Amino acid sequence: MKEETLRIIQPEQIQRFEKILEQKRLHHAYLFTGAFASFEMAQFLAQALFCEEKKGVFACGRCRNCRLIEEEAFSDVTVLRPTNQLIKTETIRELVRKFSQSGIEGNRQVFIICEADKMHVHAANSLLKVIEEPQSEIYVFFLASDAEKILPTIRSRTQVFHFPKSHAYLVHRLEQEGLMRQQADMLATYAQSEAEALGAAKSTSFMRSLDEVERFVKSLLNGQKLAYVQVSSLVHLADDKEKQAQILRLIEVCLAKEIMQPKAQFYLTALSKTYQMWQANVSFQNALEYMVLNRQSSF
């Protein structure tokens, strides 16, 4: 992501880092929360550290080092992601061993840990000493959707920056991808990051789920008995836990769009109970049927 784009969607954060770099006060450990362009900002700062043709304090984005960092192929910038929804302790211990080594291109090293909230607790604890007392010039960026999901001991040793979602930017990007305004608005509300939004927009199964959920919620709010029948269609689309969670989130987004309606407020409350039932291993179908049938007598 280019500097110009970051200035549009995260103007406050890029201005803060511009001052930090000008003062040469880049901290060795950061926690980026919110997930909206946080990875791109971490990469951008890594480029600023290694760029061969800087523009002021920021990277040119075109030189060999900048291109390799963007492609995740630069030897002194390590990007770590979960495997099967987990960052294992051994993976972090291997990372810790790298901390004690000098960089290949120079003395600096950058480590970007994506979805850091998925580190095993022992893995996170393995990092405490090295981020508190680094033995070499290292910079660690922890990326997580929510700061509260990170161990307090890690959180207290980092500088925390929040990356709020830019709804307007997401709607614009989705419209560029060919979505109608209403679909783009709905998807921008649902997604936590640009990558998630664009991936969902290109997913036939996701867009089909969105259409079905919109019909389902419309039936709920219109007081139609059809909503009960439509439960089976939603169940058919959600054959695993991930897709079921996706549909529950889509129902929440659709109802929230109509929050001024008393029925929408009622069903949002019912949805909370539905979610709890589902998490307690009540079948997805039974949980949804509970929400449909649990209606106020005045409806």
Side-chain angles (χ1 to χ4, degrees):
M1 187 174 289
K2 304 299 182 184
E3 178 184 343
E4 295 79 9
T5 306
L6 283 170
R7 286 192 183 278
I8 292 171
I9 62 177
Q10 293 295 347
E12 181 180 340
Q13 302 300 24
I14 201 165
Q15 288 171 15
R16 290 175 69 185
F17 276 113
E18 189 167 24
K19 291 180 181 178
I20 288 170
L21 290 173
E22 285 173 350
Q23 297 168 3
K24 298 182 179 180
R25 297 180 63 182
L26 192 66
H27 194 60
H28 67 275
Y30 288 93
L31 171 56
F32 287 175
T33 68
F36 197 72
S38 57
F39 175 77
E40 289 80 3
M41 183 66 83
Q43 264 198 337
F44 187 67
L45 292 171
Q47 288 174 323
L49 290 170
F50 292 102
C51 179
E52 299 172 315
E53 302 175 24
K54 281 187 182 180
K55 304 180 297 180
V57 295
F58 286 144
C60 69
R62 299 182 303 273
C63 70
R64 167 189 173 273
N65 290 357
C66 284
R67 285 186 283 105
L68 287 175
I69 290 170
E70 185 171 355
E71 295 165 5
E72 299 183 26
F74 191 70
S75 56
D76 292 336
V77 177
T78 300
V79 178
L80 184 63
R81 294 184 175 89
T83 301
N84 297 325
Q85 300 299 306
L86 180 67
I87 299 177
K88 297 180 180 180
T89 304
E90 185 51 42
T91 303
I92 292 299
R93 286 176 179 163
E94 177 60 31
L95 198 66
V96 169
R97 285 192 281 271
K98 286 187 178 182
F99 287 168
S100 62
Q101 303 169 3
S102 297
I104 295 173
E105 301 277 345
N107 294 324
R108 296 170 172 167
Q109 292 189 86
V110 173
F111 301 89
I112 303 173
I113 304 177
C114 303
E115 299 181 75
D117 51 301
K118 292 179 180 173
M119 281 191 293
H120 189 280
V121 62
H122 296 314
N125 285 329
S126 299
L127 286 170
L128 292 178
K129 183 174 177 59
V130 290
I131 64 172
E132 190 171 36
E133 301 174 3
Q135 300 301 307
S136 57
E137 189 177 355
I138 64 169
Y139 301 91
V140 186
F141 296 92
F142 297 92
L143 312 184
S145 58
D146 184 353
E148 296 303 314
K149 294 179 179 179
I150 300 295
L151 281 180
T153 47
I154 292 285
R155 197 166 63 238
S156 65
R157 290 165 171 79
T158 63
Q159 291 191 4
V160 182
F161 281 65
H162 182 60
F163 288 74
K165 179 167 65 176
S166 173
H167 186 87
Y169 171 80
L170 262 189
V171 169
H172 176 68
R173 282 290 290 113
L174 291 166
E175 287 183 315
Q176 286 182 322
E177 293 297 314
L179 268 64
M180 301 295 289
R181 178 64 183 232
Q182 183 177 342
Q183 286 181 317
D185 184 59
M186 190 70 68
L187 192 46
T189 303
Y190 170 86
Q192 297 302 310
S193 67
E194 181 177 357
E196 183 183 11
L198 294 177
K202 294 174 183 176
S203 167
T204 302
S205 62
F206 180 90
M207 296 307 294
R208 189 169 63 210
S209 294
L210 175 58
D211 289 341
E212 196 65 42
V213 166
E214 287 180 320
R215 283 193 289 271
F216 172 73
V217 170
K218 184 178 179 180
S219 294
L220 276 181
L221 299 182
N222 288 339
Q224 298 174 4
K225 294 181 180 179
L226 181 60
Y228 186 83
V229 177
Q230 289 173 317
V231 166
S232 61
S233 297
L234 294 176
V235 171
H236 179 71
L237 291 171
D239 54 6
D240 60 39
K241 280 285 190 180
E242 183 178 348
K243 291 178 182 176
Q244 290 167 9
Q246 186 181 85
I247 283 179
L248 290 173
R249 168 67 175 144
L250 284 171
I251 293 172
E252 179 186 6
V253 169
C254 288
L255 287 171
K257 289 287 184 183
E258 307 296 335
I259 192 63
M260 299 307 294
Q261 291 192 44
K263 285 185 181 181
Q265 296 169 21
F266 169 76
Y267 281 118
L268 276 171
T269 301
L271 180 63
S272 177
K273 176 62 177 176
T274 299
Y275 188 77
Q276 291 173 11
M277 291 169 63
W278 174 72
Q279 284 191 311
N281 292 321
V282 173
S283 75
F284 186 55
Q285 180 163 345
N286 287 345
L288 284 179
E289 287 174 349
Y290 160 84
M291 186 179 74
V292 174
L293 295 174
N294 184 30
R295 63 184 70 184
Q296 293 174 329
S297 59
S298 59
F299 293 164

